Amino acid sequence: VLWKQYANLPHSQELPERKSDRKEANGRRSSPISSTTPPVTVDVEKRRKVLELEIEVMRQEGRKVPSVSTIKPDQWEHLLGLTSRNQRRHYYLYLWNIEMVRLGKQMKKERKQEEIAKRREELLKANAENDHIVYGLFHNTMFLRIYDSTMDHFHNNRLVQAIRYGINLVIDCSYDDYMNDKEMRNTAKQLMLCFALNRSHTEPFNIHHCNANFNKTTMKQLEKHLVQLHQPEFPFNVTERSYTDLFPKERLVYLTPHCKNDLTEFNPDDVYIIGAMVDKSSQEPVSLGKAKKQGLRMARLPLDSYFQFKSGKSLTLDQMVAIMLELKTSNDFGKAFQHVPRRKVTTLDEAAEREQEMRQAAKFKLDFKRTGDKRNSKKPPR
């Protein structure tokens, strides 16, 4: 009965546990000993057992729900924050899909291991009576195998060299309060792409992730995917300090699309700042206001000189890092803007051709209208 009372609760109402706890808290506040008693906390374990019972009942009804043992602590935290049964149903289906994908990958891996073992046995039987040296898979070879860990060490060594001798680039991670949960998760994915893109470049940047808040979703997701983030030997600079504490103000240049100053050339002595913000829901000039408040120089990429945008001019973080890497290498905006997605823009030549076609169509329409008016005027009245 308790799980039905919890599950059918609408958005606008409080949970039964919270409502009773709030009443008790109000009663204790009015009592004379309220200052000595600790505040009442929500019984999370009780609510979790209710949700476990709800999952079991839904499984018996034949619904697609995950196993309780596979639900992780952060997923439990998200589940406990959902207030309606419909929201939890959608999240249960999402977790069930993840569990099915994981089980499918595990079964595929086991089948592959069985096939490899079977093939190895067949090769051993076929070559058992052969006295000559056999070359090939599972046998002798003249090539050394390069493991993924070896390539990781190679790329990380590039980042270590960039930390010592490379050009600095700042990613400002202070915009969590301006994004919803989905946008913060998207920001974390883009930061991962920036790290991979910068690491694979021949001359990477020394990227500083400043103003990081490890209590927000962005950094939590980043810690989840980069488990070695806080290890001292891992070449990833992340700090809660501001970039104004790390570099002198006169060297800082904030890249924001809302200012009027175009970036004419890449200056290796300047430290460019990119705002880590996915602003799909709002296009407010937050970075412009922040740069003005801190008294920093501002610049924008001269995109209007090369393209005409079909939609917004916003670029993802990995696209910005790719553009800055190319500018650092060649200082050629034409090459750097090859990383701008073509689905968003039309070139100036294409825009001129389209404008010419529109003019010809308008002229033909006007001539046709005039011809029709002349014919109508020549017709005798009935």
Side-chain angles (χ1 to χ4, degrees):
V1 179
L2 183 59
W3 75 267
K4 288 185 178 180
Q5 184 183 7
Y6 178 82
N8 297 322
L9 202 64
H11 288 276
S12 58
Q13 296 183 10
E14 290 184 276
L15 297 175
E17 298 91 348
R18 290 184 179 176
K19 191 178 292 185
S20 61
D21 291 340
R22 188 166 54 80
K23 288 181 180 179
E24 292 179 8
N26 292 335
R28 294 191 180 188
R29 263 191 224 104
S30 59
S31 62
I33 58 171
S34 60
S35 58
T36 59
T37 56
V40 180
T41 58
V42 179
D43 192 357
V44 179
E45 289 297 326
K46 181 179 177 182
R47 293 175 55 205
R48 179 168 171 170
K49 290 180 180 178
V50 170
L51 291 184
E52 290 178 359
L53 181 61
E54 181 186 44
I55 293 173
E56 187 60 34
V57 171
M58 292 178 69
R59 180 181 287 104
Q60 293 177 3
E61 292 176 354
R63 298 184 182 273
K64 296 177 179 179
V65 291
S67 303
V68 176
S69 58
T70 61
I71 302 178
K72 299 178 181 178
D74 57 333
Q75 295 170 346
W76 274 117
E77 184 179 353
H78 183 73
L79 268 174
L80 293 170
L82 300 178
T83 55
S84 70
R85 188 180 184 186
N86 192 32
Q87 286 179 336
R88 291 196 299 277
R89 279 180 177 175
H90 285 290
Y91 197 63
Y92 290 151
L93 180 61
Y94 167 72
L95 296 179
W96 179 82
N97 288 328
I98 292 177
E99 184 178 352
M100 291 299 105
V101 169
R102 185 171 60 249
L103 290 175
K105 288 182 179 179
Q106 184 177 355
M107 292 173 62
K108 186 177 179 181
K109 185 177 179 181
E110 291 175 354
R111 286 198 302 268
K112 190 175 181 180
Q113 289 177 350
E114 291 176 359
E115 291 175 0
I116 291 174
K118 186 177 179 181
R119 185 182 173 188
R120 182 177 291 176
E121 289 178 1
E122 292 175 354
L123 288 173
L124 290 175
K125 288 179 181 179
N127 299 314
E129 299 177 356
N130 190 0
D131 296 333
H132 299 284
I133 297 176
V134 180
Y135 292 95
L137 193 63
F138 308 125
H139 300 289
N140 297 296
T141 178
M142 59 184 294
F143 301 105
L144 293 176
R145 180 175 180 179
I146 300 177
Y147 293 90
D148 293 337
S149 58
T150 306
M151 295 305 300
D152 285 339
H153 289 308
F154 173 73
H155 291 307
N156 288 343
N157 183 58
R158 280 181 177 173
L159 290 181
V160 171
Q161 296 297 321
I163 290 174
R164 297 183 64 186
Y165 309 112
I167 298 175
N168 295 303
L169 181 73
V170 172
I171 294 181
D172 185 10
C173 303
S174 63
Y175 295 100
D176 290 336
D177 295 333
Y178 300 95
M179 297 183 289
N180 55 35
D181 188 77
K182 183 179 179 181
E183 290 172 342
M184 285 189 282
R185 291 175 183 271
N186 197 355
T187 302
K189 290 181 181 178
Q190 292 184 21
L191 290 176
M192 287 282 297
L193 291 175
C194 291
F195 172 72
L197 185 66
N198 184 56
R199 192 177 74 152
S200 60
H201 198 265
T202 54
E203 296 180 2
F205 278 111
N206 179 22
I207 298 181
H208 299 265
H209 300 78
C210 298
N211 298 316
N213 188 349
F214 295 99
N215 297 322
K216 296 289 185 178
T217 305
T218 302
M219 284 299 135
K220 286 183 178 179
Q221 288 295 312
L222 200 60
E223 289 174 333
K224 180 180 177 182
H225 296 294
L226 281 177
V227 292
Q228 65 272 42
L229 180 65
H230 297 289
Q231 294 178 4
E233 66 274 7
F234 188 66
F236 191 91
N237 295 326
V238 58
T239 177
E240 297 177 352
R241 300 170 61 190
S242 175
Y243 38 81
T244 54
D245 300 331
L246 302 177
F247 305 100
K249 264 190 177 183
E250 57 271 11
R251 291 184 58 194
L252 297 174
V253 180
Y254 213 112
L255 297 177
T256 171
H258 304 289
C259 73
K260 298 180 180 180
N261 303 323
D262 285 340
L263 184 67
T264 56
E265 64 176 356
F266 181 86
N267 187 359
D269 294 329
D270 290 335
V271 179
Y272 296 97
I273 306 171
I274 301 173
M277 182 178 180
V278 176
D279 49 354
K280 291 183 179 180
S281 58
S282 64
Q283 299 287 336
E284 297 179 0
V286 183
S287 57
L288 177 68
K290 183 175 183 180
K292 280 186 175 181
K293 185 178 180 181
Q294 294 179 341
L296 303 178
R297 286 183 294 156
M298 293 171 288
R300 66 178 180 182
L301 297 178
L303 296 170
D304 294 331
S305 303
Y306 292 84
F307 306 110
Q308 194 173 33
F309 278 79
K310 299 176 184 177
S311 57
K313 298 180 184 179
S314 59
L315 300 175
T316 59
L317 297 178
D318 54 297
Q319 291 165 3
M320 283 294 300
V321 171
I323 290 173
M324 297 304 293
L325 283 168
E326 184 59 42
L327 284 177
K328 180 173 69 72
T329 305
S330 63
N331 211 352
D332 186 354
F333 284 96
K335 288 184 178 179
F337 288 160
Q338 291 178 358
H339 299 283
V340 177
R342 290 296 175 262
R343 68 180 184 275
K344 289 187 175 183
V345 298
T346 56
T347 60
L348 296 179
D349 295 336
E350 292 175 354
E353 290 178 4
R354 184 175 297 178
E355 187 177 355
Q356 185 68 20
E357 291 176 358
M358 291 177 64
R359 286 180 181 177
Q360 290 179 357
K363 185 179 179 181
F364 176 77
K365 188 176 181 181
L366 183 61
D367 293 340
F368 183 78
K369 185 178 181 182
R370 286 177 180 174
T371 306
D373 293 340
K374 287 180 181 179
R375 289 180 179 176
N376 293 332
S377 62
K378 289 181 180 179
K379 287 182 180 180
R382 293 182 180 179

PDB file of all heavy atoms in Angstrom, residues 115-139:
ATOM      1  N   GLU A 115      35.007 -18.596 -29.778  1.00  0.00           N
ATOM      2  CA  GLU A 115      35.455 -18.779 -31.158  1.00  0.00           C
ATOM      3  C   GLU A 115      36.978 -18.728 -31.253  1.00  0.00           C
ATOM      4  O   GLU A 115      37.593 -19.516 -31.989  1.00  0.00           O
ATOM      5  CB  GLU A 115      34.833 -17.709 -32.045  1.00  0.00           C
ATOM      6  CG  GLU A 115      33.325 -17.857 -32.229  1.00  0.00           C
ATOM      7  CD  GLU A 115      32.737 -16.701 -33.011  1.00  0.00           C
ATOM      8  OE1 GLU A 115      33.511 -15.789 -33.400  1.00  0.00           O
ATOM      9  OE2 GLU A 115      31.506 -16.708 -33.230  1.00  0.00           O
ATOM     10  N   ILE A 116      37.600 -17.791 -30.510  1.00  0.00           N
ATOM     11  CA  ILE A 116      39.064 -17.683 -30.529  1.00  0.00           C
ATOM     12  C   ILE A 116      39.703 -18.945 -29.957  1.00  0.00           C
ATOM     13  O   ILE A 116      40.695 -19.477 -30.495  1.00  0.00           O
ATOM     14  CB  ILE A 116      39.519 -16.426 -29.766  1.00  0.00           C
ATOM     15  CG1 ILE A 116      39.113 -15.160 -30.533  1.00  0.00           C
ATOM     16  CG2 ILE A 116      41.025 -16.428 -29.540  1.00  0.00           C
ATOM     17  CD1 ILE A 116      39.390 -13.878 -29.790  1.00  0.00           C
ATOM     18  N   ALA A 117      39.146 -19.448 -28.842  1.00  0.00           N
ATOM     19  CA  ALA A 117      39.696 -20.665 -28.239  1.00  0.00           C
ATOM     20  C   ALA A 117      39.541 -21.864 -29.177  1.00  0.00           C
ATOM     21  O   ALA A 117      40.462 -22.687 -29.313  1.00  0.00           O
ATOM     22  CB  ALA A 117      38.992 -20.940 -26.910  1.00  0.00           C
ATOM     23  N   LYS A 118      38.390 -21.951 -29.858  1.00  0.00           N
ATOM     24  CA  LYS A 118      38.169 -23.046 -30.797  1.00  0.00           C
ATOM     25  C   LYS A 118      39.130 -22.957 -31.980  1.00  0.00           C
ATOM     26  O   LYS A 118      39.704 -23.972 -32.417  1.00  0.00           O
ATOM     27  CB  LYS A 118      36.722 -23.003 -31.280  1.00  0.00           C
ATOM     28  CG  LYS A 118      36.325 -24.167 -32.154  1.00  0.00           C
ATOM     29  CD  LYS A 118      34.858 -24.066 -32.524  1.00  0.00           C
ATOM     30  CE  LYS A 118      34.463 -25.244 -33.437  1.00  0.00           C
ATOM     31  NZ  LYS A 118      33.026 -25.146 -33.841  1.00  0.00           N
ATOM     32  N   ARG A 119      39.320 -21.725 -32.484  1.00  0.00           N
ATOM     33  CA  ARG A 119      40.237 -21.552 -33.606  1.00  0.00           C
ATOM     34  C   ARG A 119      41.677 -21.868 -33.202  1.00  0.00           C
ATOM     35  O   ARG A 119      42.442 -22.454 -33.977  1.00  0.00           O
ATOM     36  CB  ARG A 119      40.132 -20.112 -34.106  1.00  0.00           C
ATOM     37  CG  ARG A 119      40.956 -19.837 -35.359  1.00  0.00           C
ATOM     38  CD  ARG A 119      40.831 -18.393 -35.756  1.00  0.00           C
ATOM     39  NE  ARG A 119      41.737 -18.073 -36.852  1.00  0.00           N
ATOM     40  CZ  ARG A 119      41.953 -16.846 -37.292  1.00  0.00           C
ATOM     41  NH1 ARG A 119      41.346 -15.824 -36.719  1.00  0.00           N
ATOM     42  NH2 ARG A 119      42.774 -16.631 -38.292  1.00  0.00           N
ATOM     43  N   ARG A 120      42.046 -21.509 -31.990  1.00  0.00           N
ATOM     44  CA  ARG A 120      43.406 -21.792 -31.524  1.00  0.00           C
ATOM     45  C   ARG A 120      43.640 -23.288 -31.419  1.00  0.00           C
ATOM     46  O   ARG A 120      44.713 -23.792 -31.791  1.00  0.00           O
ATOM     47  CB  ARG A 120      43.627 -21.111 -30.169  1.00  0.00           C
ATOM     48  CG  ARG A 120      45.020 -21.287 -29.605  1.00  0.00           C
ATOM     49  CD  ARG A 120      45.176 -20.519 -28.310  1.00  0.00           C
ATOM     50  NE  ARG A 120      45.155 -19.081 -28.534  1.00  0.00           N
ATOM     51  CZ  ARG A 120      45.195 -18.180 -27.559  1.00  0.00           C
ATOM     52  NH1 ARG A 120      45.244 -18.578 -26.297  1.00  0.00           N
ATOM     53  NH2 ARG A 120      45.166 -16.899 -27.844  1.00  0.00           N
ATOM     54  N   GLU A 121      42.656 -24.009 -30.923  1.00  0.00           N
ATOM     55  CA  GLU A 121      42.792 -25.465 -30.836  1.00  0.00           C
ATOM     56  C   GLU A 121      42.938 -26.092 -32.225  1.00  0.00           C
ATOM     57  O   GLU A 121      43.738 -27.012 -32.426  1.00  0.00           O
ATOM     58  CB  GLU A 121      41.580 -26.056 -30.113  1.00  0.00           C
ATOM     59  CG  GLU A 121      41.550 -25.743 -28.619  1.00  0.00           C
ATOM     60  CD  GLU A 121      40.315 -26.312 -27.954  1.00  0.00           C
ATOM     61  OE1 GLU A 121      39.518 -26.960 -28.678  1.00  0.00           O
ATOM     62  OE2 GLU A 121      40.150 -26.114 -26.741  1.00  0.00           O
ATOM     63  N   GLU A 122      42.157 -25.605 -33.200  1.00  0.00           N
ATOM     64  CA  GLU A 122      42.249 -26.127 -34.558  1.00  0.00           C
ATOM     65  C   GLU A 122      43.626 -25.864 -35.158  1.00  0.00           C
ATOM     66  O   GLU A 122      44.205 -26.731 -35.835  1.00  0.00           O
ATOM     67  CB  GLU A 122      41.161 -25.519 -35.434  1.00  0.00           C
ATOM     68  CG  GLU A 122      39.745 -25.955 -35.058  1.00  0.00           C
ATOM     69  CD  GLU A 122      38.696 -25.243 -35.875  1.00  0.00           C
ATOM     70  OE1 GLU A 122      39.074 -24.332 -36.660  1.00  0.00           O
ATOM     71  OE2 GLU A 122      37.505 -25.569 -35.720  1.00  0.00           O
ATOM     72  N   LEU A 123      44.173 -24.656 -34.918  1.00  0.00           N
ATOM     73  CA  LEU A 123      45.502 -24.337 -35.437  1.00  0.00           C
ATOM     74  C   LEU A 123      46.583 -25.196 -34.781  1.00  0.00           C
ATOM     75  O   LEU A 123      47.527 -25.640 -35.442  1.00  0.00           O
ATOM     76  CB  LEU A 123      45.795 -22.852 -35.225  1.00  0.00           C
ATOM     77  CG  LEU A 123      45.025 -21.875 -36.117  1.00  0.00           C
ATOM     78  CD1 LEU A 123      45.286 -20.442 -35.665  1.00  0.00           C
ATOM     79  CD2 LEU A 123      45.428 -22.045 -37.574  1.00  0.00           C
ATOM     80  N   LEU A 124      46.435 -25.430 -33.480  1.00  0.00           N
ATOM     81  CA  LEU A 124      47.424 -26.271 -32.794  1.00  0.00           C
ATOM     82  C   LEU A 124      47.390 -27.700 -33.309  1.00  0.00           C
ATOM     83  O   LEU A 124      48.434 -28.338 -33.487  1.00  0.00           O
ATOM     84  CB  LEU A 124      47.168 -26.223 -31.278  1.00  0.00           C
ATOM     85  CG  LEU A 124      47.488 -24.899 -30.574  1.00  0.00           C
ATOM     86  CD1 LEU A 124      47.056 -24.963 -29.108  1.00  0.00           C
ATOM     87  CD2 LEU A 124      48.981 -24.581 -30.676  1.00  0.00           C
ATOM     88  N   LYS A 125      46.184 -28.214 -33.578  1.00  0.00           N
ATOM     89  CA  LYS A 125      46.073 -29.575 -34.112  1.00  0.00           C
ATOM     90  C   LYS A 125      46.644 -29.647 -35.527  1.00  0.00           C
ATOM     91  O   LYS A 125      47.299 -30.622 -35.903  1.00  0.00           O
ATOM     92  CB  LYS A 125      44.618 -30.010 -34.110  1.00  0.00           C
ATOM     93  CG  LYS A 125      44.053 -30.293 -32.729  1.00  0.00           C
ATOM     94  CD  LYS A 125      42.600 -30.701 -32.816  1.00  0.00           C
ATOM     95  CE  LYS A 125      42.028 -30.964 -31.425  1.00  0.00           C
ATOM     96  NZ  LYS A 125      40.584 -31.342 -31.507  1.00  0.00           N
ATOM     97  N   ALA A 126      46.387 -28.590 -36.334  1.00  0.00           N
ATOM     98  CA  ALA A 126      46.859 -28.598 -37.716  1.00  0.00           C
ATOM     99  C   ALA A 126      48.374 -28.518 -37.803  1.00  0.00           C
ATOM    100  O   ALA A 126      48.996 -29.061 -38.723  1.00  0.00           O
ATOM    101  CB  ALA A 126      46.218 -27.450 -38.500  1.00  0.00           C
ATOM    102  N   ASN A 127      48.994 -27.803 -36.844  1.00  0.00           N
ATOM    103  CA  ASN A 127      50.448 -27.599 -36.880  1.00  0.00           C
ATOM    104  C   ASN A 127      51.206 -28.490 -35.887  1.00  0.00           C
ATOM    105  O   ASN A 127      52.377 -28.249 -35.600  1.00  0.00           O
ATOM    106  CB  ASN A 127      50.775 -26.136 -36.581  1.00  0.00           C
ATOM    107  CG  ASN A 127      50.177 -25.188 -37.604  1.00  0.00           C
ATOM    108  OD1 ASN A 127      50.272 -25.427 -38.810  1.00  0.00           O
ATOM    109  ND2 ASN A 127      49.546 -24.126 -37.128  1.00  0.00           N
ATOM    110  N   ALA A 128      50.519 -29.486 -35.361  1.00  0.00           N
ATOM    111  CA  ALA A 128      51.175 -30.340 -34.357  1.00  0.00           C
ATOM    112  C   ALA A 128      52.304 -31.165 -34.967  1.00  0.00           C
ATOM    113  O   ALA A 128      53.342 -31.390 -34.336  1.00  0.00           O
ATOM    114  CB  ALA A 128      50.137 -31.257 -33.706  1.00  0.00           C
ATOM    115  N   GLU A 129      52.113 -31.628 -36.221  1.00  0.00           N
ATOM    116  CA  GLU A 129      53.108 -32.476 -36.864  1.00  0.00           C
ATOM    117  C   GLU A 129      54.062 -31.688 -37.750  1.00  0.00           C
ATOM    118  O   GLU A 129      54.884 -32.282 -38.455  1.00  0.00           O
ATOM    119  CB  GLU A 129      52.404 -33.541 -37.687  1.00  0.00           C
ATOM    120  CG  GLU A 129      51.509 -34.460 -36.860  1.00  0.00           C
ATOM    121  CD  GLU A 129      50.782 -35.455 -37.731  1.00  0.00           C
ATOM    122  OE1 GLU A 129      50.936 -35.354 -38.976  1.00  0.00           O
ATOM    123  OE2 GLU A 129      50.084 -36.314 -37.167  1.00  0.00           O
ATOM    124  N   ASN A 130      53.947 -30.345 -37.747  1.00  0.00           N
ATOM    125  CA  ASN A 130      54.799 -29.509 -38.597  1.00  0.00           C
ATOM    126  C   ASN A 130      56.037 -29.082 -37.808  1.00  0.00           C
ATOM    127  O   ASN A 130      55.922 -28.455 -36.744  1.00  0.00           O
ATOM    128  CB  ASN A 130      54.011 -28.287 -39.061  1.00  0.00           C
ATOM    129  CG  ASN A 130      54.753 -27.499 -40.128  1.00  0.00           C
ATOM    130  OD1 ASN A 130      55.858 -27.871 -40.531  1.00  0.00           O
ATOM    131  ND2 ASN A 130      54.136 -26.421 -40.589  1.00  0.00           N
ATOM    132  N   ASP A 131      57.227 -29.420 -38.330  1.00  0.00           N
ATOM    133  CA  ASP A 131      58.467 -29.082 -37.631  1.00  0.00           C
ATOM    134  C   ASP A 131      58.994 -27.696 -37.993  1.00  0.00           C
ATOM    135  O   ASP A 131      59.931 -27.203 -37.354  1.00  0.00           O
ATOM    136  CB  ASP A 131      59.549 -30.115 -37.956  1.00  0.00           C
ATOM    137  CG  ASP A 131      59.165 -31.498 -37.451  1.00  0.00           C
ATOM    138  OD1 ASP A 131      58.397 -31.549 -36.476  1.00  0.00           O
ATOM    139  OD2 ASP A 131      59.610 -32.488 -38.043  1.00  0.00           O
ATOM    140  N   HIS A 132      58.452 -27.066 -39.018  1.00  0.00           N
ATOM    141  CA  HIS A 132      58.932 -25.765 -39.445  1.00  0.00           C
ATOM    142  C   HIS A 132      58.350 -24.655 -38.570  1.00  0.00           C
ATOM    143  O   HIS A 132      57.338 -24.834 -37.876  1.00  0.00           O
ATOM    144  CB  HIS A 132      58.563 -25.512 -40.908  1.00  0.00           C
ATOM    145  CG  HIS A 132      59.172 -26.510 -41.851  1.00  0.00           C
ATOM    146  ND1 HIS A 132      60.499 -26.458 -42.216  1.00  0.00           N
ATOM    147  CD2 HIS A 132      58.640 -27.601 -42.473  1.00  0.00           C
ATOM    148  CE1 HIS A 132      60.762 -27.460 -43.046  1.00  0.00           C
ATOM    149  NE2 HIS A 132      59.648 -28.170 -43.210  1.00  0.00           N
ATOM    150  N   ILE A 133      58.994 -23.488 -38.620  1.00  0.00           N
ATOM    151  CA  ILE A 133      58.496 -22.323 -37.883  1.00  0.00           C
ATOM    152  C   ILE A 133      57.238 -21.807 -38.568  1.00  0.00           C
ATOM    153  O   ILE A 133      57.214 -21.606 -39.784  1.00  0.00           O
ATOM    154  CB  ILE A 133      59.562 -21.212 -37.822  1.00  0.00           C
ATOM    155  CG1 ILE A 133      60.793 -21.714 -37.057  1.00  0.00           C
ATOM    156  CG2 ILE A 133      59.008 -19.965 -37.169  1.00  0.00           C
ATOM    157  CD1 ILE A 133      61.924 -20.710 -37.025  1.00  0.00           C
ATOM    158  N   VAL A 134      56.198 -21.598 -37.792  1.00  0.00           N
ATOM    159  CA  VAL A 134      54.911 -21.141 -38.320  1.00  0.00           C
ATOM    160  C   VAL A 134      54.732 -19.672 -37.952  1.00  0.00           C
ATOM    161  O   VAL A 134      54.837 -19.301 -36.778  1.00  0.00           O
ATOM    162  CB  VAL A 134      53.751 -21.982 -37.760  1.00  0.00           C
ATOM    163  CG1 VAL A 134      52.427 -21.493 -38.328  1.00  0.00           C
ATOM    164  CG2 VAL A 134      53.973 -23.448 -38.072  1.00  0.00           C
ATOM    165  N   TYR A 135      54.452 -18.850 -38.968  1.00  0.00           N
ATOM    166  CA  TYR A 135      54.198 -17.435 -38.750  1.00  0.00           C
ATOM    167  C   TYR A 135      52.698 -17.165 -38.876  1.00  0.00           C
ATOM    168  O   TYR A 135      51.990 -17.816 -39.644  1.00  0.00           O
ATOM    169  CB  TYR A 135      54.954 -16.576 -39.771  1.00  0.00           C
ATOM    170  CG  TYR A 135      56.461 -16.603 -39.585  1.00  0.00           C
ATOM    171  CD1 TYR A 135      57.250 -17.493 -40.324  1.00  0.00           C
ATOM    172  CD2 TYR A 135      57.075 -15.760 -38.674  1.00  0.00           C
ATOM    173  CE1 TYR A 135      58.628 -17.533 -40.159  1.00  0.00           C
ATOM    174  CE2 TYR A 135      58.444 -15.790 -38.496  1.00  0.00           C
ATOM    175  CZ  TYR A 135      59.210 -16.671 -39.239  1.00  0.00           C
ATOM    176  OH  TYR A 135      60.566 -16.711 -39.066  1.00  0.00           O
ATOM    177  N   GLY A 136      52.249 -16.178 -38.150  1.00  0.00           N
ATOM    178  CA  GLY A 136      50.839 -15.809 -38.234  1.00  0.00           C
ATOM    179  C   GLY A 136      50.257 -15.565 -36.859  1.00  0.00           C
ATOM    180  O   GLY A 136      50.966 -15.517 -35.843  1.00  0.00           O
ATOM    181  N   LEU A 137      48.940 -15.413 -36.830  1.00  0.00           N
ATOM    182  CA  LEU A 137      48.237 -15.156 -35.580  1.00  0.00           C
ATOM    183  C   LEU A 137      48.362 -16.349 -34.646  1.00  0.00           C
ATOM    184  O   LEU A 137      48.225 -17.509 -35.070  1.00  0.00           O
ATOM    185  CB  LEU A 137      46.764 -14.859 -35.871  1.00  0.00           C
ATOM    186  CG  LEU A 137      45.942 -14.274 -34.722  1.00  0.00           C
ATOM    187  CD1 LEU A 137      46.491 -12.914 -34.302  1.00  0.00           C
ATOM    188  CD2 LEU A 137      44.479 -14.148 -35.126  1.00  0.00           C
ATOM    189  N   PHE A 138      48.677 -16.104 -33.381  1.00  0.00           N
ATOM    190  CA  PHE A 138      48.909 -17.105 -32.334  1.00  0.00           C
ATOM    191  C   PHE A 138      50.243 -17.829 -32.507  1.00  0.00           C
ATOM    192  O   PHE A 138      50.526 -18.791 -31.794  1.00  0.00           O
ATOM    193  CB  PHE A 138      47.777 -18.140 -32.249  1.00  0.00           C
ATOM    194  CG  PHE A 138      46.411 -17.547 -32.142  1.00  0.00           C
ATOM    195  CD1 PHE A 138      45.421 -17.895 -33.053  1.00  0.00           C
ATOM    196  CD2 PHE A 138      46.107 -16.638 -31.144  1.00  0.00           C
ATOM    197  CE1 PHE A 138      44.154 -17.358 -32.958  1.00  0.00           C
ATOM    198  CE2 PHE A 138      44.847 -16.103 -31.043  1.00  0.00           C
ATOM    199  CZ  PHE A 138      43.864 -16.458 -31.953  1.00  0.00           C
ATOM    200  N   HIS A 139      51.064 -17.388 -33.480  1.00  0.00           N
ATOM    201  CA  HIS A 139      52.337 -18.055 -33.718  1.00  0.00           C
ATOM    202  C   HIS A 139      53.459 -17.016 -33.730  1.00  0.00           C
ATOM    203  O   HIS A 139      53.312 -15.922 -33.185  1.00  0.00           O
ATOM    204  CB  HIS A 139      52.286 -18.838 -35.040  1.00  0.00           C
ATOM    205  CG  HIS A 139      51.244 -19.894 -35.075  1.00  0.00           C
ATOM    206  ND1 HIS A 139      51.329 -21.054 -34.336  1.00  0.00           N
ATOM    207  CD2 HIS A 139      50.056 -19.961 -35.740  1.00  0.00           C
ATOM    208  CE1 HIS A 139      50.265 -21.794 -34.548  1.00  0.00           C
ATOM    209  NE2 HIS A 139      49.469 -21.160 -35.396  1.00  0.00           N
TER     210      HIS A 139
END
